[in-house]
């Protein structure tokens, strides 16, 4: 079977291009390596360009071309979604070239790389804290940047993830019936996260935990703990009386009222 002429031409060009690339990669001509790496970067062939840049970056350190080369080296990792190395290389760039015209973009991409490394909320959140730190540094360093709105949105997203993790830990205590730990965890969450989207559920969770602690206590502790639960209900209903959780909270409250023994009044003298 004879191949069409167009296909033969394409294969010839491809093979020639590959052989030229391998030749430049093997030889020590840094000028040709630099020109080819730049061409590959501009045409979006990041994986091939990266192999050349790995050879070029040490050779051009301290030279005029070093600034551009180090930036596109970091950005190549970013475009390849290798955010760990992208963040590291952009940090190196900002340290090496603090007066560069690309310093703001590099700082933002460094911070965003750490944001990209943040895992889902149920996993260890060290990278989330690192992302928050880097994004906040960018916001502080470039308060008038046009990238500030995006940076603020990323900060909000990461904070929400940390809040969700903390909230889910409190819920887990409630699910496993460790009511004392649940009350403490919900209480800490409410104190530490005044603007959280989970605040309503945290108030409700604290009340339910206190209610269940009370009704499952030994008799001598029941009344005191019912009164504590009633106090948590009052705090919940103060802010969330018109929410979807209010009807169920009311049922628990009515059960508390039915079980509470009125406090004895002090005799008058």
């Amino acid at each position: 079977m004879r191949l069409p002429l167009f296909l033969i031409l394409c294969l010839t060009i491809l093979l020639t291009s590959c052989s030229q690339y391998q030749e430049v990669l093997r030889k020590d001509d840094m000028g040709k390596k630099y020109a080819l790496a730049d061409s590959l970067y501009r045409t979006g062939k990041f994986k091939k360009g990266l192999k050349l840049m790995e050879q070029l970056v040490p050779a051009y350190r301290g030279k005029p071309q070093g600034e551009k080369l180090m930036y596109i080296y970091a950005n190549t990792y970013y475009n390849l979604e290798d955010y760990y190395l992208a963040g590291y290389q952009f940090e190196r760039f900002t340290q090496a070239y603090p007066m560069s015209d690309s310093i703001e973009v590099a700082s933002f991409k460094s911070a965003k790389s750490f944001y990209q490394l943040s895992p889902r909320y149920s996993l260890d959140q060290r990278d989330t804290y690192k992302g928050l730190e880097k994004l906040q540094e960018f916001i502080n360093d470039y308060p008038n940047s046009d990238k500030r709105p995006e940076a603020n949105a990323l900060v909000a997203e990461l904070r929400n993830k940390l809040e969700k993790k903390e909230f889910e830990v409190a819920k887990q205590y409630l699910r496993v019936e460790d009511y004392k730990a649940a009350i403490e965890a919900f209480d800490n969450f409410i104190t530490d996260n005044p603007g959280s989207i989970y605040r309503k559920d945290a108030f409700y969770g604290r009340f339910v935990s206190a209610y269940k602690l009370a009704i499952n206590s030994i008799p001598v502790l029941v009344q005191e703990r019912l009164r504590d639960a009633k106090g948590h209900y009052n705090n919940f209903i103060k802010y969330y009386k018109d929410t979807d959780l209010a009807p169920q909270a009311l049922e628990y409250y009515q059960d508390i009222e039915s079980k509470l023994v009125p406090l004895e009044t002090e005799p008058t003298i």
Side-chain angles (χ1 to χ4, degrees):
M1 183 179 68
R2 297 179 63 185
L3 293 173
L5 180 59
F6 176 74
L7 182 56
I8 293 172
L9 288 172
C10 288
L11 288 171
T12 302
I13 292 170
L14 179 62
L15 291 171
T16 302
S17 174
C18 289
S19 64
Q20 288 175 344
Y21 170 79
Q22 291 298 332
E23 183 181 355
V24 173
L25 189 64
R26 286 195 306 268
K27 292 191 174 180
D28 295 329
D29 190 329
M30 290 299 168
K32 286 185 178 180
K33 288 181 190 288
Y34 186 97
L36 182 55
D38 185 52
S39 175
L40 291 169
Y41 175 81
R42 286 187 283 105
T43 54
K45 297 175 182 177
F46 300 116
K47 285 186 178 179
K48 293 181 75 173
L50 183 60
K51 292 182 179 180
L52 291 164
M53 291 179 201
E54 288 169 348
Q55 298 178 6
L56 287 165
V57 168
Y60 279 91
R61 189 171 290 120
K63 296 181 180 179
Q65 303 95 322
E67 179 182 335
K68 177 184 176 181
L69 183 60
M70 197 167 181
Y71 178 85
I72 66 173
Y73 182 50
N75 207 38
T76 293
Y77 280 119
Y78 189 87
N79 286 313
L80 290 172
E81 298 182 1
D82 187 340
Y83 296 116
Y84 179 81
L85 286 174
Y88 172 70
Q89 293 298 340
F90 274 124
E91 274 195 325
R92 289 187 65 201
F93 176 85
T94 59
Q95 292 165 5
Y97 301 101
M99 304 305 293
S100 171
D101 292 340
S102 301
I103 190 72
E104 181 181 325
V105 175
S107 297
F108 178 71
K109 286 193 170 183
S110 175
K112 194 170 180 180
S113 295
F114 289 107
Y115 156 83
Q116 295 284 7
L117 291 170
S118 173
R120 64 180 184 271
Y121 78 89
S122 58
L123 299 177
D124 187 285
Q125 294 300 305
R126 277 176 289 187
D127 285 328
T128 301
Y129 284 108
K130 181 78 169 177
L132 273 173
E133 177 189 342
K134 293 299 178 181
L135 285 164
Q136 195 59 59
E137 283 179 6
F138 173 79
I139 291 167
N140 294 341
D141 291 342
Y142 302 97
N144 300 316
S145 172
D146 60 357
K147 292 176 172 44
R148 179 168 180 159
E150 184 180 356
N152 283 329
L154 297 178
V155 165
E157 185 179 334
L158 293 184
R159 284 179 177 164
N160 181 68
K161 185 182 293 187
L162 294 175
E163 289 173 11
K164 183 171 178 61
K165 184 177 180 69
E166 187 179 347
F167 176 69
E168 290 295 332
V169 168
K171 281 177 62 179
Q172 181 63 16
Y173 284 129
L174 178 55
R175 279 193 291 268
V176 301
E177 301 179 1
D178 188 346
Y179 301 125
K180 286 184 178 179
I183 292 167
E184 183 179 359
F186 281 124
D187 201 41
N188 289 337
F189 181 89
I190 291 166
T191 301
D192 296 341
N193 305 283
S196 174
I197 62 173
Y198 305 107
R199 189 171 173 81
K200 174 193 70 174
D201 298 273
F203 267 86
Y204 178 77
R206 183 175 64 176
F207 164 57
V208 172
S209 301
Y211 165 75
K212 292 192 174 183
L213 176 65
I215 64 174
N216 288 284
S217 295
I218 59 175
V220 71
L221 296 175
V222 169
Q223 291 297 303
E224 178 186 354
R225 288 178 174 175
L226 284 172
R227 284 188 282 273
D228 288 341
K230 183 177 178 179
H232 289 310
Y233 171 79
N234 289 334
N235 285 329
F236 168 78
I237 215 68
K238 177 181 178 181
Y239 300 107
Y240 304 109
K241 65 179 180 179
D242 297 321
T243 65
D244 58 320
L245 296 176
Q248 183 61 59
L250 179 60
E251 288 187 26
Y252 291 141
Y253 172 73
Q254 289 171 339
D255 188 48
I256 291 170
E257 287 287 86
S258 71
K259 290 179 169 63
L260 268 176
V261 175
L263 290 170
E264 293 184 7
T265 57
E266 293 289 334
T268 57
I269 300 175

